[in-house]
């Protein structure tokens, strides 16, 4: 038992809603992220080492788990990551600030708008750039649609892994509607590159408002459908309740954020507690559940989907009143001028040329900006030298921390539950490996 | 207790609304324990190492932007030309901490190390530091002393070099645009 | 009726009455007159028939790497239904799969497992490089991303864009079907790339 659990219990603060579900701490020791074989099984012939290789039937991407099995129960676990390492951080150091915006979206490719938001907010913080109101509200709306998209993919794929295959088609039906909305606004289904440093890339088309309104009215019915399919299903409840329990103190010690943390009884949501964009003007609830098992993580995400629909509704109403307002900051040193001006204004032409070829310069400094992505706290640490390219970009990946908790959640479980647990932690490998 | 009472405190800076506390590398584990227990920073959010090799080699200008752009009638509404500040050593390691209370509080503990210098590991303070430190070892080459399993995490086990260092090439290939090459 | 119905053996075909040459005409032969029988039969070679069957149920392997995997999953979804082409059965085991859709960026660390999976597939097997990253490294030209999966695998079809729309991927799959039905050999049998 590691000593960390006892210490954090003494320093517990107000966001913990429910006490630990188990005594002490289940974080393995000495290596917190790997379950190691107990003494009595080290020489045993009954232990089978299975490789859940980078390519496996469950749909998480390229995670490799080396699992030691004694019969059906998991007695040893270690995770190998890095099979999707893309070198985002180094690639972004080679590109100008404006060109960098295309990279972050591909990090967490399931909740893609959120990574871009984090990066763009960090650059704007360094620049002290004020973003117009319309852009901020639209960013909040698209971030929530992105959260819905991510949770729908999570629900579809983790239900698929547990055998509830029909959920996949239902969730992807709603997902297609969300992607239609993205395509309507930005021109691309995924990886939209719509958030720019200073605001949005283009104005919001008129047809978006009625379509989004229709979606907002339909979505709660779809969520009721999903609950009807899963929530009273005896097999689903058997497979998810009591499986993969993570207590609040362990979750905090393991750096969990987002739905994983809220399912363990810690009432912490960056949108409410450290508001960014316009979340301080939006009315929404934060679901917190106390048991910390797979079922609670699923319920947190389901409730978050409902809240996201309400947030989208409120943003939409506000945006309908902001029609005709500017969607990007007017600072020509940082933001490209509108194309019509390039024909008439020499200064605009020069600004355009300088921004595209050399890039604008961001003042020297370092910032860390965190947002609440569908997976947890996504942060962007930026160090700028004052030049046209970033000096260091680092993304704090919530899935990285979520996978660190695998060994703790897999305490006396069966190998079939391992799949449920890894699915419920909702780790995206692009986010983990960056 | 304030930041100044942390063991190994060197200096405290505020910029862009964030507090950065510089700590001596040898005392970082004690400072982390004090931050967690006495100051209430129960969550370690991130550990980031930055390589400052080649910093400041070109004169750069700072620019502060506003929503309406600079006003050409007032020339110094654009930022002034500055040189980037000098850094004490090659690598900086930033520990981002979060205190989950109202209002949320964040702090960055920073220590400066040279190539090859050992840094005490904070895994005993926050278990989540396990993979963060392994990642920084893998990509930047910073060795953490007392880490239970300091092995490569992201790159191949037999990879040579530390990719995110500034003297490591970006790699990849030049793009060929025509057949005639 | 006027003439005796034409028999299949009059066309040079061997019907099931091979072992019983004296048996009378079958229902099939009776119901169709002598002219219609030619319209009711499809004549083909064995290779063409086999190729037709292969393209109608080419099962992909569950090989999703990155963002393109999400779009690959959406071709199974009800809007871009790939079950119309018999391909909704994504096999987890490469030994049961025919088609490897490399969907996403390939890191150097992942190159060895991909090659191992490709080698475990039974022939005939095809590879589709989905997306810009699998085709050529995409926007990542750095130390860790393989500049195109064709460095390690023979690729049949390249589907560009980042990520390709599900319709684009389906277009690629259908072109693969057409190519195969036309007799183009899979990539590992070719020495020169065929567009």
């Amino acid at each position: 038992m590691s000593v960390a659990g006892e210490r954090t219990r003494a320093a517990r603060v107000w966001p913990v809603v429910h006490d630990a579900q188990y005594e002490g701490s289940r974080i393995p020791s000495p290596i917190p992220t790997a379950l190691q074989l107990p003494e009595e099984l080290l020489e045993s012939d009954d232990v089978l080492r299975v490789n859940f290789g980078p390519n496996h039937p469950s749909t998480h991407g390229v995670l490799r788990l080396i699992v030691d099995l004694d019969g059906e129960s998991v007695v040893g676990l270690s995770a190998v990551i890095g099979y999707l390492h893309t070198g985002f951080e180094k690639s972004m150091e080679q590109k100008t600030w404006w060109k960098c915006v295309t990279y972050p979206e591909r990090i967490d490719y399931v909740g893609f708008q959120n990574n871009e938001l984090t990066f763009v907010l960090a650059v704007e913080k360094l620049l002290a750039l004020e973003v117009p109101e319309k852009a901020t509200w639209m960013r909040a709306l698209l971030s929530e649609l992105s959260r819905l998209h991510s949770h729908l993919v999570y629900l579809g794929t983790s239900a698929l892994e547990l055998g509830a295959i029909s959920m996949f088609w239902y969730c992807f039906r709603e997902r297609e509607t969300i992607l239609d909305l993205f395509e309507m606004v930005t021109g691309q289904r995924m990886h939209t590159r719509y958030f720019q440093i200073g605001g949005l890339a283009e104005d919001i088309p008129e047809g978006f408002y009625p379509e989004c309104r229709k979606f907002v009215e339909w979505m709660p019915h779809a969520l009721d459908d999903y609950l009807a399919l899963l929530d009273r299903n005896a097999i689903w409840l058997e497979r998810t309740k009591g499986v993969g329990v993570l207590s609040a103190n362990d979750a905090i010690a393991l750096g969990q954020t987002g739905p994983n943390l809220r399912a363990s009884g810690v009432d912490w949501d960056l949108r409410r507690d450290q508001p960014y964009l316009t979340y301080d003007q939006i009315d929404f609830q934060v679901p917190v559940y106390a048991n910390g098992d797979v079922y609670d993580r699923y319920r947190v995400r389901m409730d978050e989907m409902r809240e996201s629909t309400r947030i989208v509704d409120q943003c939409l109403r506000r945006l309908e009143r902001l029609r005709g307002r500017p969607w990007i900051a007017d600072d020509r040193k940082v933001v490209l001028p509108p194309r019509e001006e390039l024909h008439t204004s020499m200064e605009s032409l020069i600004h355009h040329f300088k921004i595209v070829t050399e890039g604008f310069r961001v003042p020297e400094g370092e910032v860390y900006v965190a947002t609440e992505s569908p997976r947890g706290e996504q942060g962007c640490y930026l160090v700028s030298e004052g030049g046209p390219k970033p000096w260091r970009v680092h993304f704090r990946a919530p899935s990285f921390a979520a996978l660190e908790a695998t060994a703790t959640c897999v305490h006396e479980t069966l190998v079939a539950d391992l799949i449920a647990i890894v699915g419920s932690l909702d780790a995206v490998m692009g986010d983990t490996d960056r | 207790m304030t930041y100044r009472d942390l063991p190994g405190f060197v200096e405290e800076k505020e910029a862009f609304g964030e507090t950065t506390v510089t700590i001596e590398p040898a005392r970082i584990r004690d400072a982390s324990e004090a931050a967690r227990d006495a100051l209430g920073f129960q969550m370690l959010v991130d550990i980031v190492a930055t390589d400052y090799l080649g910093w400041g080699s070109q004169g750069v200008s700072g620019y502060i932007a506003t929503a309406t752009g600079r006003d050409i009638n007032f020339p110094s509404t654009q930022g002034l030309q500055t040189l980037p500040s000098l850094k004490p050593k090659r690598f900086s390691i930033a520990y981002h901490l979060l205190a989950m209370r109202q209002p949320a509080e964040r702090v960055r503990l920073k220590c400066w190390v040279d190539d090859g210098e050992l840094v005490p590991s904070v895994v005993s303070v926050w278990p989540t530091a396990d993979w963060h430190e392994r990642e920084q070892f893998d990509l930047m080459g910073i060795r953490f002393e007392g880490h239970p399993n300091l092995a490569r995490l992201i790159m191949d086990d037999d990879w040579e070099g530390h990719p995110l260092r500034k003297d490591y090439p970006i790699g990849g290939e030049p793009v060929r645009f025509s057949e005639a090459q | 009726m006027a003439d005796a119905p034409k028999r299949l053996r009059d066309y040079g075909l061997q019907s099931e009455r091979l072992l019983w040459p004296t048996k009378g005409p079958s229902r099939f032969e009776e119901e169709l007159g002598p002219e219609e029988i030619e319209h009711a039969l499809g004549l083909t070679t064995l290779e063409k028939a086999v190729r037709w069957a292969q393209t109608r149920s080419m099962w992909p392997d569950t090989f999703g790497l990155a963002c393109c995997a999400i779009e690959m999953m959406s071709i199974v979804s009800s809007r871009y239904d790939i079950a119309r082409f018999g391909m909704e059965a994504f096999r987890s085991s490469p030994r049961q799969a025919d088609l490897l859709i490399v969907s996403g960026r390939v890191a150097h660390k992942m190159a060895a497992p991909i090659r191992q999976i490709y080698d475990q597939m039974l022939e005939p097997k095809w590879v589709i490089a989905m997306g810009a990253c699998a085709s050529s490294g995409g926007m990542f030209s750095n130390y860790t991303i393989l500049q195109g999966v064709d460095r390690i695998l023979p690729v049949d079809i390249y589907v560009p864009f980042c990520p390709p729309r599900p319709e684009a991927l389906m277009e690629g799959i259908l072109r693969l079907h057409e190519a195969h039905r036309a007799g183009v050999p899979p990539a590992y049998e070719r020495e020169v790339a065929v567009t």
Side-chain angles (χ1 to χ4, degrees):
Chain A
M1 293 292 196
S2 101
V3 180
E6 281 134 61
R7 283 214 192 135
T8 47
R9 193 185 304 189
R12 191 188 316 138
V13 290
W14 68 274
V16 177
V17 156
H18 185 86
D19 207 338
Q21 290 77 48
Y22 44 81
E23 291 302 310
S25 165
R26 283 194 188 157
I27 301 178
S29 150
I31 305 176
T33 56
L35 202 59
Q36 288 185 316
L37 281 179
E39 291 293 324
E40 59 270 14
L41 288 175
L42 271 174
E43 301 298 316
S44 165
D45 284 333
D46 287 333
V47 172
L48 178 69
R49 176 158 278 203
V50 177
N51 183 40
F52 280 73
N55 182 41
H56 47 87
S58 79
T59 43
H60 299 118
V62 287
L63 168 67
R64 178 173 173 210
L65 295 170
I66 302 173
V67 175
D68 293 316
L69 297 175
D70 177 22
E72 280 279 315
S73 49
V74 176
V75 289
L77 179 96
S78 73
V80 182
I81 61 174
Y83 288 96
L84 201 57
H85 179 59
T86 320
F88 278 104
E89 303 175 354
K90 196 146 177 112
S91 295
M92 286 168 79
E93 287 171 19
Q94 317 294 321
K95 304 282 180 198
T96 64
W97 293 96
W98 190 68
K99 291 180 187 171
C100 270
V101 170
T102 49
Y103 281 86
E105 261 182 322
R106 280 124 178 120
I107 294 179
D108 175 5
Y109 42 81
V110 185
F112 38 85
Q113 298 269 36
N114 211 281
N115 315 329
E116 220 184 84
L117 177 70
T118 319
F119 177 71
V120 159
L121 285 178
V123 181
E124 286 166 2
K125 193 171 182 185
L126 272 177
L127 279 173
L129 186 62
E130 282 170 37
V131 177
E133 198 189 356
K134 179 175 178 181
T136 329
W137 282 96
M138 189 59 174
R139 281 177 179 179
L141 192 154
L142 289 178
S143 301
E144 291 306 314
L145 280 181
S146 199
R147 189 184 313 274
L148 273 166
H149 172 268
S150 171
H151 287 333
L152 282 169
V153 173
Y154 151 78
L155 191 59
T157 52
S158 53
L160 180 71
E161 284 155 27
L162 291 182
I165 304 182
S166 346
M167 283 308 296
F168 182 77
W169 277 274
Y170 283 97
C171 291
F172 272 61
R173 175 189 66 186
E174 262 66 58
R175 180 190 168 244
E176 292 295 332
T177 322
I178 295 179
L179 291 179
D180 279 347
L181 288 172
F182 282 144
E183 194 181 356
M184 190 183 298
V185 177
T186 69
Q188 259 252 84
R189 282 159 55 102
M190 287 176 69
H191 301 330
T192 55
R193 204 261 322 141
Y194 188 58
F195 297 162
Q196 294 290 312
I197 296 167
L200 307 171
E202 288 161 13
D203 200 4
I204 306 169
E206 264 307 308
F208 174 73
Y209 301 104
E211 287 297 320
C212 197
R213 171 75 42 212
K214 267 195 273 181
F215 170 75
V216 162
E217 275 153 28
W218 162 246
M219 193 64 192
H221 300 290
L223 289 171
D224 292 335
D225 276 346
Y226 306 153
L227 279 177
L229 274 173
L230 283 179
D231 214 36
R232 291 186 280 279
N233 185 331
I235 300 179
W236 178 260
L237 295 174
E238 273 283 326
R239 283 208 71 174
T240 56
K241 276 202 189 251
V243 169
V245 180
L246 187 67
S247 81
N249 288 326
D250 278 349
I252 295 175
L254 285 167
Q256 301 298 299
T257 48
N260 294 335
L261 189 64
R262 290 194 278 281
S264 292
V266 182
D267 188 12
W268 182 256
D269 186 335
L270 283 178
R271 292 175 292 170
R272 183 199 56 198
D273 299 315
Q274 199 181 18
Y276 54 96
L277 295 182
T278 55
Y279 285 108
D280 45 359
Q281 300 170 46
I282 301 178
D283 170 43
F284 65 101
Q285 308 281 331
V286 173
V288 181
Y289 284 76
N291 287 325
D293 56 8
V294 172
Y295 180 74
D296 279 357
R297 288 183 211 123
Y298 143 77
R299 281 311 302 264
V300 165
R301 293 189 175 103
M302 290 296 294
D303 292 348
E304 274 188 11
M305 280 204 263
R306 219 174 270 279
E307 293 303 319
S308 290
T309 319
R310 286 183 54 212
I311 299 176
V312 170
D313 184 28
Q314 292 170 56
C315 292
L316 190 63
R317 269 190 235 143
R318 191 61 181 263
L319 279 170
E320 281 167 347
R321 293 202 299 266
L322 289 173
R323 279 179 168 117
R325 301 280 201 84
W327 61 92
I328 197 165
D330 204 20
D331 187 349
R332 301 300 163 79
K333 290 274 183 292
V334 170
V335 168
L336 288 179
R339 285 207 79 96
E340 309 83 60
E341 270 188 30
L342 294 183
H343 299 293
T344 50
S345 160
M346 191 60 199
E347 292 78 23
S348 294
L349 194 63
I350 297 175
H351 278 134
H352 184 104
F353 180 75
K354 287 287 278 183
I355 292 176
V356 171
T357 53
E358 185 196 351
F360 56 85
R361 290 161 180 267
V362 169
E364 182 210 340
E366 56 184 359
V367 284
Y368 177 78
V369 169
T371 60
E372 182 81 16
S373 92
R375 269 156 202 89
E377 174 177 328
Q378 174 116 33
C380 178
Y381 175 69
L382 269 187
V383 177
S384 164
E385 194 196 6
K389 298 183 181 171
W391 183 262
R392 173 89 166 106
V393 183
H394 176 82
F395 284 90
R396 190 266 174 188
S399 311
F400 194 71
L403 282 179
E404 285 185 297
T406 323
T408 311
C409 292
V410 178
H411 177 82
E412 292 173 4
T413 56
L414 305 175
V415 67
D417 294 332
L418 176 66
I419 308 296
I421 293 167
V422 174
S424 76
L425 290 172
D426 200 11
V428 166
M429 293 320 289
D431 197 22
T432 313
D433 297 335
R434 271 158 285 139
Chain B
M1 185 169 164
T2 65
Y3 297 127
R4 296 183 181 274
D5 304 319
L6 288 172
F9 175 86
V10 173
E11 65 166 353
E12 178 183 339
K13 264 196 301 203
E14 290 256 352
F16 302 104
E18 298 175 13
T19 312
T20 305
V21 177
T22 310
I23 305 278
E24 278 165 44
R27 308 290 310 276
I28 187 70
R29 186 185 290 146
D30 303 324
S32 306
E33 278 178 18
R36 184 192 67 184
D37 297 328
L39 291 174
F41 287 99
Q42 42 336 22
M43 186 178 284
L44 171 71
V45 171
D46 205 6
I47 301 179
V48 193
T50 313
D51 180 3
Y52 287 97
L53 190 70
W55 177 265
S57 48
Q58 45 179 353
V60 291
S61 58
Y63 176 61
I64 314 295
T66 61
T68 49
R70 74 175 185 126
D71 190 345
I72 57 172
N73 296 314
F74 298 95
S76 33
T77 47
Q78 179 181 332
L80 299 174
Q81 189 107 11
T82 56
L83 284 173
S85 53
L86 290 176
K87 303 296 171 190
K89 288 189 187 174
R90 181 174 170 188
F91 291 102
S92 83
I93 309 177
Y95 296 77
H96 291 100
L97 307 180
L98 170 67
M100 296 190 283
R101 47 178 176 245
Q102 281 289 33
E105 208 174 316
R106 289 183 191 269
V107 75
R108 181 183 302 127
L109 297 183
K110 225 172 176 193
C111 46
W112 294 91
V113 290
D114 272 322
D115 196 6
E117 206 174 311
L118 288 174
V119 182
S121 162
V122 295
V123 175
S124 55
V125 182
W126 296 289
T128 184
D130 180 3
W131 273 13
H132 285 117
E133 287 180 350
R134 272 179 77 179
E135 187 194 0
Q136 297 309 313
F137 161 66
D138 189 0
L139 296 174
M140 279 290 190
I142 296 172
R143 298 195 152 264
F144 291 90
E145 184 191 358
H147 192 281
N149 182 26
L150 196 68
R152 283 195 181 264
L153 184 71
I154 306 273
M155 306 304 300
D156 277 311
D157 289 331
D158 50 359
W159 195 271
E160 279 170 22
H162 300 284
L164 247 54
R165 290 191 171 193
K166 290 288 175 181
D167 45 3
Y168 193 94
I170 180 69
E173 290 184 354
V175 180
R176 295 190 316 231
F177 285 101
S178 74
E179 285 294 326
Q181 233 174 321
Chain C
M1 312 302 296
D3 320 287
K6 275 198 133 178
R7 308 295 302 276
L8 288 176
R9 71 170 85 91
D10 298 330
Y11 292 92
L13 292 172
Q14 292 172 338
S15 71
E16 73 278 6
R17 293 165 196 286
L18 186 65
L19 295 175
W20 199 347
T22 53
K23 182 116 178 134
S26 67
R27 198 56 184 271
F28 178 67
E29 289 159 325
E30 268 175 25
E31 279 176 357
L32 299 170
E35 302 85 25
E36 288 174 48
I37 206 167
E38 289 185 358
H39 298 295
L41 290 176
L43 297 178
T44 181
T45 64
L46 185 62
E47 286 90 25
K48 273 200 218 163
V50 166
R51 275 194 229 122
W52 172 86
Q54 282 170 339
T55 54
R56 289 288 183 259
S57 81
M58 193 187 276
W59 290 345
D61 183 43
T62 52
F63 201 73
L65 291 171
C67 349
C68 285
I70 314 291
E71 292 292 46
M72 188 174 71
M73 288 197 288
S74 71
I75 59 170
V76 187
S77 74
S78 43
R79 189 188 279 194
Y80 306 105
D81 189 18
I82 196 106
R84 324 176 238 171
F85 307 108
M87 293 175 66
E88 84 278 13
F90 272 70
R91 311 312 297 162
S92 338
S93 163
R95 299 195 190 274
Q96 299 168 359
D98 303 306
L99 176 64
L100 189 71
I101 305 182
V102 182
S103 51
R105 44 200 190 248
V106 182
H108 280 288
K109 196 168 178 179
M110 192 64 196
I114 290 187
R115 184 71 215 187
Q116 209 177 351
I117 286 167
Y118 179 75
D119 290 336
Q120 284 177 346
M121 285 167 73
L122 304 177
E123 294 175 6
K125 53 190 172 182
W126 296 268
V127 174
I128 291 185
M130 176 184 178
C133 294
S135 308
S136 69
M139 67 168 73
F140 305 110
S141 175
N142 54 27
Y143 57 93
T144 174
I145 293 289
L146 211 57
Q147 300 295 302
V149 78
D150 51 5
R151 300 294 165 101
I152 50 174
L153 303 176
V155 174
D156 291 89
I157 299 271
Y158 298 85
V159 182
F161 212 52
C162 186
R165 284 189 65 105
E167 291 109 324
L169 178 62
M170 285 172 73
E171 164 87 14
I173 291 173
L174 291 177
R175 285 204 193 179
L176 181 65
H177 290 178
E178 279 172 23
H180 182 53
R181 276 202 300 273
V184 175
Y188 56 86
E189 284 175 12
R190 284 184 243 143
E191 281 166 14
V192 181
V194 175
T195 47

